[in-house]
Amino acid sequence: MIKNIINDELIEIYFQPIVSIRTKKVYGFEALTRCTYKGEIIPPDKLFELAKKENLSFELDVMTRNKAIKKFSEYYKKDNNLILFLNFESTLINNTGFIEKNSKFVQTIKELEIPFINFVLEIKEDEITNTESLKKFSQFYKNLGFSIALDDFGTGSSTFDRINLIKPNIIKIDKSLFNNIENNQVNKEIVKAISKMCHNIGIRVLAEGVEEQQTVLIAMKMGINIYQGYYFSKPQAQIDDIKNSYIISKIVEIGNIFRTNTINTIKNKRKGIEEHDLLSKILIDKITDINDCNEVIKNELLLNKKIEAIYIIDEQSSKQIHDTFILGDLNVHFRPSKEGEEHYLKDYYYITLESKKGMFLSNKYISYATGSICKTFAKKFTKNNINYILCLDLVLEHK
């Protein structure tokens, strides 16, 4: 069967649009393989598995890539800014001499007079065991002008040291990390860390497999600009002007939603700071003796369920005045800070000191004391001519 599919080129190439939110355009396409043989749909994974069993992986890989390039040439003629993402059967890169054997697609591109800069070569580096071959592959094609993308990054056995080896132009964050990301703080932090790292070292980040509006909005908040997924478009046999207009309308729509959400977030944060400021003032007024305020703080914790923990820091020394007053169960793996501990490395300490208004609201984080997701509100105040910082840990989501 697989021999007939290859010999008769019974492969159809679908393109899935890749969009740029910033430019409000279709950035490019990923070429995907589709096959129907004698009325049966053969999934891509099965297709390449059959080819591997028959020792025809290289032939299938070459054929699909050349068909994709020829199909792309028609789109390139209409818009020479478009980029085509081409997949490689990554295990083949392990073989010595792969570059020399694989020169056909380069020749096809030359014949069609498309610059190499319009192509991104996708590789799954965790499938490549021959480090020297991987490095040689990346350097060779980058020197020609191709871009290199690491596919499915963040899952499996993908490793950060390969980034330094390959120096990719693009990292595609695996779709599994975006699954239910709005409710998965761990995945959210992983994606945020990958995005920040890539921006800091000049690598473009692509969010792969995005299907929900909320997923895209969260990724946009993390600074990700390029997207691929069902939210914008499923893979298509043809992408005409009507489909292209629809995709652009989705880009504009999500951009407007993000803008509105960002403005609302800023307004809500300001409102939250005002509320926390009022709450802290009430507590500060109740404290008459900084060394004997246990009952006052404990009562405040009981009265206000939004406050998970309270502690006071001496402004000059950064040392904590009392053990942390806490409401709720402790996390057995961590412990709240104790009397005498220094806080000079904590952002809520030094930013509060430098703030004109003498207050600061942190971003969300997981509390070391309880394991809950919280924010810290800090406010500078004075008692008996000594400056202190009051810290309120505000619970957002219980563990």
Side-chain angles (χ1 to χ4, degrees), residues 61 136 146 301 325 336 362:
D61 198 49
K136 186 179 178 183
F146 290 93
L301 282 170
F325 299 92
S362 75

Side-chain angles (χ1 to χ4, degrees), residues 380-395:
K380 189 160 58 173
F381 70 100
T382 303
K383 287 287 179 182
N384 300 323
N385 298 319
I386 300 175
N387 294 330
Y388 301 96
I389 296 174
L390 173 69
C391 296
L392 309 178
D393 285 354
L394 307 160
V395 65

Side-chain angles (χ1 to χ4, degrees), residues 1 73 89 156 173 220 321:
M1 177 174 70
S73 66
E89 180 59 27
I173 302 179
M220 288 176 72
I321 302 300

Side-chain angles (χ1 to χ4, degrees), residues 1-10 56 59 63:
M1 177 174 70
I2 190 65
K3 289 181 180 178
N4 292 336
I5 290 172
I6 294 172
N7 291 335
D8 298 335
E9 295 194 1
L10 301 178
L56 293 171
E59 288 74 11
M63 188 261 288

Side-chain angles (χ1 to χ4, degrees), residues 21-47:
I21 306 288
R22 182 181 60 81
T23 62
K24 299 180 182 178
K25 290 182 179 180
V26 174
Y27 175 77
F29 311 112
E30 180 178 357
L32 301 168
T33 304
R34 298 291 183 266
C35 179
T36 301
Y37 182 73
K38 294 184 177 181
E40 179 188 355
I41 297 174
I42 314 294
D45 289 348
K46 184 178 179 182
L47 194 67

Side-chain angles (χ1 to χ4, degrees), residues 152-313:
D152 298 344
F153 191 81
T155 61
S157 55
S158 55
T159 55
F160 283 88
D161 66 309
R162 289 287 181 91
I163 294 175
N164 195 42
L165 175 74
I166 301 167
K167 295 180 172 57
N169 307 93
I170 297 172
I171 280 181
K172 298 181 75 174
I173 302 179
D174 187 74
K175 61 183 180 182
S176 65
L177 289 173
F178 293 102
N179 265 343
N180 195 32
I181 192 170
E182 62 270 26
N183 299 313
N184 191 323
Q185 189 67 22
V186 174
N187 280 5
K188 195 179 292 185
E189 293 301 327
I190 291 171
V191 171
K192 189 189 298 183
I194 294 173
S195 178
K196 183 179 180 181
M197 173 196 69
C198 289
H199 286 305
N200 287 345
I201 59 178
I203 297 174
R204 290 188 175 185
V205 189
L206 189 156
E208 193 174 21
V210 292
E211 298 185 4
E212 305 293 335
Q213 182 185 96
Q214 189 61 25
T215 304
V216 179
L217 291 171
I218 290 170
M220 288 176 72
K221 197 173 180 180
M222 297 173 183
I224 298 175
N225 173 55
I226 308 174
Y227 294 85
Q228 177 182 356
Y230 285 7
Y231 178 78
F232 295 100
S233 175
K234 292 182 178 181
Q236 305 287 324
Q238 295 293 332
I239 300 170
D240 55 22
D241 290 342
I242 295 174
K243 181 63 180 175
N244 193 65
S245 295
Y246 170 77
I247 295 168
I248 291 172
S249 72
K250 293 283 285 184
I251 298 171
V252 172
E253 177 189 39
I254 198 72
N256 289 337
I257 294 170
F258 180 75
R259 180 178 180 275
T260 301
N261 287 357
T262 302
I263 292 171
N264 289 337
T265 298
I266 293 169
K267 288 179 179 177
N268 290 335
K269 186 169 184 178
R270 285 175 181 163
K271 183 180 177 182
I273 289 174
E274 290 172 2
E275 291 175 353
H276 306 326
D277 185 31
L278 178 61
L279 186 66
S280 63
K281 283 179 179 177
I282 293 170
L283 177 55
I284 290 166
D285 287 343
K286 290 178 181 178
I287 297 173
T288 55
D289 185 348
I290 203 75
N291 295 310
D292 186 19
C293 58
N294 294 24
E295 290 305 314
V296 172
I297 292 177
K298 285 177 182 177
N299 287 337
E300 196 64 30
L301 282 170
L302 291 171
L303 287 171
N304 199 318
K305 301 300 182 184
K306 289 183 179 180
I307 304 176
E308 182 177 67
I310 299 175
Y311 48 101
I312 299 172
I313 302 168

